[in-house]
Amino acid sequence: MAIDKWEIVIGCEIHTQLLTKTKAFCACENRYGGMPNTRVCPVCLGLPGAMPRISKGYVELGAVAGLALNCDIVRFTKFDRKHYFYPDLTKGYQITQYDLPLCTNGHVDLPMAKYPVEQQAGQPKCRSKNFVGEDCIIDGGKYRRVRVERIHLEEDVGKSLHLPGTHSYIDYNRSGTPLIEIVTKPDMTSPEEAALFMETVQEILRYVKVTNGNLEEGNMRCDANINLNVWEDGKLFHTPISEIKNLNSFKSIRDACTYEAQRQLKEFQEDRQEFNPGFKVTMGWDEEKGETVVQRTKNSFVDYRFVVEPDIKPFSVSEELVARAQGRVGELPEAKRVRLKKEYGLTDFDVETLTSSRDLAMWFEEAAAGTKNPKKAANIILTELLAKLNEEKKTICDVTITPKHISALVNAIDEGRISSAQGKEVFAEMLASGRMPGDIIREKGMEVVSDTGALEAAVDKVIAANPKAIADYKGGKTNVVGWLMGQVMKESKGKANPKLAAALVAKKLSAL
């Protein structure tokens, strides 16, 4: 029997820590790092008799995330206990949500411009025929949709620390940290797409300030559920699902899913293993070896023995909370990119950079609102301001000037009061002192000379002083024009209006 074709099927479970001040069910500070086991209490340590309490802020941030990912927010929900044993799980169960998650039926649209063209050999580029009730390619082919099945609230566990060959330790500072788990439908068809999905989710959730999303700190982690559809002699087979746990970089998602797909294909060819709906293999990713390794198997959700959390009553989600959450979402990055390109005529690179954070996008729009040349405002921010901030490892929130400084600088250049070259000098002084461009221009006497009479006199003087250059020009050496312009700028000590001076030079030369 021969394999006709095969395709990868991937669903993601993304765990994201929320930016609350306290932990999920206690008053301990929610913060990364610090001395182990110093930010703990009886509740997050799971000591007998400790009673968890839930805050509105925790639920509201979960709702913000859900709305940002186009989910419906339920109006009645509850918490459950999920039982399993890990050394870093203090209580022997995790407080989570099972059958009544806070958010349901969402979606994330991946920009096709970012979607990798290269596909695994033999795989179709879109599995839209397999989707129920919708096509995966939307908006005229601009986006690929990944459906979000649910987003539920839960608590994080502690962190295991391993010293090779000696001991293992547990740091419970992270225990009880508020999480959301984003669970997708199995809509992704390549490792690259799974990485792009997590990258897009990270961007959106950072934009609405739900999470730091720092993969290296474990703020965001991904479990990838992957199996294959294999067509053999016209018959369709499905391989068993593998869940690759705790992938904490876009590269590890791509590499782990790529390796696992090949492993499953080989296993199918050799052992004929097929999908069982009640069986899943949990895999780890060995970064050094570049391969997945079996950690454990689980037969079904019965293994977790879900029960309703008895210490937290089921609760209603108010319309006021949902309205507040909606107000915190605002315009999302992709929608903003589309609008900025249309309104301001910016390039893809411009909008990608300017929308890399919500604070930067708002800063730019305020600067653009104060000038008739938003494109030039964007250029100064991108080439001058961001270059300086990157050099000093700062963000737009650390900058000492305001958007009005940029607007005033753009207007000064556009109105011909200073040249573009002088604009760089004014920008540097503006950034160093915080003073407005107009004050700097006046103090330094930088105002461009636009008086036609004064400029004409300077041009006449330069032409009279350089008879050889004039003779060369008459002999056909047109590059002399640029040299003469340089002499005019030198004569005016750099203050000549370049456009007006160039026009006068051309006029005088044509009359010779």
Side-chain angles (χ1 to χ4, degrees):
M1 300 179 76
I3 291 178
D4 302 320
K5 63 178 181 178
W6 59 280
E7 65 181 10
I8 299 174
V9 183
I10 301 174
C12 286
E13 299 171 10
I14 296 179
H15 298 81
T16 301
Q17 293 180 358
L18 301 182
L19 286 173
T20 55
K21 291 181 180 179
T22 62
K23 292 185 181 181
F25 304 110
C26 66
C28 292
E29 183 185 9
N30 176 25
R31 176 169 58 85
Y32 175 77
M35 184 165 295
N37 300 314
T38 56
R39 295 194 304 279
V40 293
C41 72
V43 174
C44 55
L45 287 176
L47 300 182
M51 293 292 288
R53 295 183 62 185
I54 182 171
S55 70
K56 289 182 180 179
Y58 175 27
V59 178
E60 187 171 321
L61 270 190
V64 172
L67 292 167
L69 301 184
N70 303 292
C71 291
D72 299 325
I73 309 301
V74 302
R75 298 306 191 266
F76 180 79
T77 187
K78 64 180 176 66
F79 280 95
D80 302 273
R81 289 184 178 182
K82 178 182 179 181
H83 294 83
Y84 61 96
F85 175 77
Y86 272 171
D88 52 17
L89 185 64
T90 58
K91 300 184 288 289
Y93 62 84
Q94 179 188 36
I95 301 179
T96 183
Q97 292 187 303
Y98 177 41
D99 56 333
L100 288 177
L102 179 66
C103 315
T104 59
N105 300 322
H107 65 264
V108 174
D109 293 334
L110 308 182
M112 292 292 282
K114 293 184 179 180
Y115 186 74
V117 176
E118 296 290 332
Q119 293 283 319
Q120 192 74 33
Q123 294 182 79
K125 290 187 177 181
C126 175
R127 294 169 46 253
S128 58
K129 293 179 182 177
N130 298 337
F131 287 14
V132 179
E134 67 181 11
D135 195 332
C136 65
I137 303 297
I138 63 169
D139 196 12
K142 293 180 181 178
Y143 300 97
R144 174 91 183 259
R145 176 160 292 181
V146 175
R147 294 169 295 168
V148 175
E149 181 178 297
R150 57 187 280 147
I151 301 176
H152 58 264
L153 305 174
E154 62 184 22
E155 62 178 339
D156 210 344
V157 298
K159 184 177 182 179
S160 299
L161 307 172
H162 305 289
L163 298 181
T166 56
H167 299 82
S168 291
Y169 300 88
I170 305 293
D171 177 8
Y172 287 115
N173 280 345
R174 195 176 72 178
S175 181
T177 295
L179 286 178
I180 52 172
E181 181 174 344
I182 304 163
V183 182
T184 77
K185 296 284 189 180
D187 288 352
M188 286 156 277
T189 62
S190 74
E192 293 80 9
E193 190 173 338
L196 178 57
F197 172 77
M198 188 172 183
E199 184 179 350
T200 305
V201 168
Q202 180 197 56
E203 177 188 53
I204 291 171
L205 296 187
R206 279 177 168 175
Y207 218 73
V208 297
K209 299 187 177 180
V210 162
T211 182
N212 285 329
N214 294 329
L215 304 180
E216 63 277 8
E217 293 181 1
N219 289 158
M220 183 177 282
R221 314 184 289 276
C222 179
D223 299 342
N225 292 276
I226 175 172
N227 74 327
L228 306 179
N229 289 336
V230 182
W231 285 265
E232 190 175 57
D233 293 334
K235 186 178 178 181
L236 174 61
F237 297 89
H238 308 288
T239 62
I241 295 175
S242 295
E243 182 180 18
I244 312 173
K245 300 288 287 186
N246 293 325
L247 300 170
N248 61 359
S249 73
F250 306 134
K251 181 179 184 298
S252 66
I253 294 171
R254 286 192 297 269
D255 292 350
C257 289
T258 298
Y259 177 88
E260 181 60 19
Q262 294 295 332
R263 188 199 67 78
Q264 288 191 19
L265 184 64
K266 182 179 179 181
E267 183 179 73
F268 177 80
Q269 290 171 320
E270 294 177 352
D271 300 334
R272 312 295 303 172
Q273 292 204 28
E274 291 188 52
F275 172 76
N276 180 334
F279 179 81
K280 182 189 288 188
V281 179
T282 298
M283 313 287 285
W285 172 241
D286 190 319
E287 192 81 47
E288 291 186 5
K289 293 182 179 179
E291 60 186 34
T292 55
V293 292
V294 176
Q295 292 182 332
R296 63 191 174 98
T297 61
K298 50 187 177 183
N299 290 318
S300 71
F301 275 87
V302 174
D303 289 355
Y304 290 129
R305 294 181 291 116
F306 280 102
V307 296
V308 176
E309 170 55 61
D311 294 334
I312 302 175
K313 292 182 179 179
F315 59 96
S316 297
V317 179
S318 69
E319 297 298 332
E320 290 79 8
L321 184 147
V322 175
R324 284 198 306 273
Q326 185 67 70
R328 295 174 65 171
V329 173
E331 187 179 39
L332 295 174
E334 180 61 19
K336 190 176 287 292
R337 283 191 283 268
V338 171
R339 181 176 61 79
L340 294 184
K341 283 179 65 177
K342 182 178 180 181
E343 287 186 10
Y344 301 127
L346 302 179
T347 66
D348 287 335
F349 173 80
D350 293 342
V351 296
E352 285 287 343
T353 307
L354 290 170
T355 59
S356 58
S357 78
R358 189 174 211 150
D359 293 321
L360 177 57
M362 293 174 66
W363 207 93
F364 160 69
E365 290 218 71
E366 189 175 339
T371 176
K372 293 180 180 179
N373 194 340
K375 174 65 175 175
K376 185 168 286 185
N379 287 341
I380 291 175
I381 292 170
L382 292 168
T383 60
E384 303 292 340
L385 181 57
L386 291 187
K388 189 66 175 177
L389 291 176
N390 289 338
E391 179 185 318
E392 297 177 354
K393 296 182 179 179
K394 294 180 179 179
T395 70
I396 196 67
C397 298
D398 304 314
V399 75
T400 55
I401 60 174
T402 69
K404 291 182 179 179
H405 285 77
I406 299 296
S407 302
L409 179 58
V410 170
N411 291 339
I413 297 171
D414 270 8
E415 292 164 6
R417 302 204 316 271
I418 58 173
S419 66
S420 294
Q422 289 174 313
K424 291 180 179 291
E425 184 182 342
V426 172
F427 175 83
E429 176 63 28
M430 184 175 73
L431 201 61
S433 66
R435 298 168 63 204
M436 291 299 291
D439 297 333
I440 297 169
I441 292 167
R442 281 190 296 273
E443 181 185 286
K444 291 182 174 290
M446 299 173 73
E447 197 84 32
V448 165
V449 176
S450 296
D451 179 78
T452 305
L455 287 179
E456 192 166 4
V459 172
D460 288 341
K461 185 177 179 180
V462 167
I463 289 175
N466 295 281
K468 185 179 182 304
I470 301 305
D472 289 343
Y473 173 77
K474 289 180 177 180
K477 294 183 179 180
T478 56
N479 61 327
V480 171
V481 176
W483 184 83
L484 289 171
M485 261 299 297
Q487 296 306 302
V488 172
M489 295 303 294
K490 186 177 180 180
E491 176 67 24
S492 67
K493 297 181 180 179
K495 294 182 180 181
N497 183 313
K499 290 183 180 179
L500 188 53
L504 286 170
V505 169
K507 179 182 177 182
K508 294 288 183 179
L509 291 176
S510 65
L512 294 174

